[in-house]
């Protein structure tokens, strides 16, 4: 069974930065699409950024130019570097591992709070 462990959330002032990490427990990481999603109170979960096994990137329009997703297959870890944070970025951030036909795994979530 695959497990995802997230870290790096916290409280930051607007304009600040945070880096989220998500480590997978199995080597299928390297052949999976990894994504970061977020869910704010009263809102649906939404895609923030994703990176495929081949390195293709996808970002939500609201974070383009501010957030960067990256992966380290040797460490089975995906990162989300978040810069120029805004209060509207406040949410619980979830890591997702997707291997079509096999796995669709979610992390436990990490809270990111941006104060104005």
């Amino acid at each position: 069974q695959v497990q995802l462990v997230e870290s790096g959330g916290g409280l930051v002032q607007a304009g600040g930065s945070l880096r989220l990490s998500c480590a997978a427990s199995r080597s299928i990481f390297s052949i999976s699409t990894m994504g970061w999603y977020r869910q704010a109170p009263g809102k649906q979960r939404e895609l923030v950024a994703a990176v495929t096994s081949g390195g293709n990137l996808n970002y939500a329009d609201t974070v383009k130019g501010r957030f960067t997703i990256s992966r380290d297959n040797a460490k089975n870890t995906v990162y989300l570097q978040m810069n120029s944070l805004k209060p509207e970025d406040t949410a619980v951030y979830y890591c997702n591992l997707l291997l079509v036909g096999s796995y669709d795994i979610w992390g436990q979530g990490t809270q990111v709070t941006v104060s104005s």
Side-chain angles (χ1 to χ4, degrees):
Q1 185 173 356
V2 181
Q3 292 184 324
L4 302 176
V5 179
E6 299 149 348
S7 60
L11 173 64
V12 65
Q13 289 188 332
S17 298
L18 283 175
R19 187 195 197 201
L20 305 183
S21 299
C22 172
S25 61
R26 288 184 57 184
S27 60
I28 60 167
F29 175 91
S30 65
I31 60 173
S32 302
T33 293
M34 298 301 301
W36 285 99
Y37 292 73
R38 67 186 180 187
Q39 188 167 19
K43 295 188 177 181
Q44 290 187 332
R45 190 173 297 188
E46 62 177 1
L47 174 69
V48 176
V51 54
T52 68
S53 58
N56 292 320
L57 305 175
N58 185 31
Y59 292 96
D61 288 341
T62 53
V63 306
K64 283 181 180 177
R66 300 188 298 122
F67 291 10
T68 302
I69 189 171
S70 61
R71 64 190 298 160
D72 185 338
N73 289 340
K75 296 182 179 180
N76 290 348
T77 300
V78 63
Y79 305 96
L80 185 68
Q81 178 67 44
M82 305 186 293
N83 299 327
S84 302
L85 282 160
K86 304 176 180 179
E88 51 264 44
D89 294 318
T90 295
V92 178
Y93 284 70
Y94 297 90
C95 178
N96 174 260
L97 181 150
L98 178 64
L99 184 58
V100 177
S102 299
Y103 295 98
D104 186 1
I105 307 297
W106 293 90
Q108 79 282 4
T110 185
Q111 176 70 46
V112 171
T113 302
V114 184
S115 62
S116 58

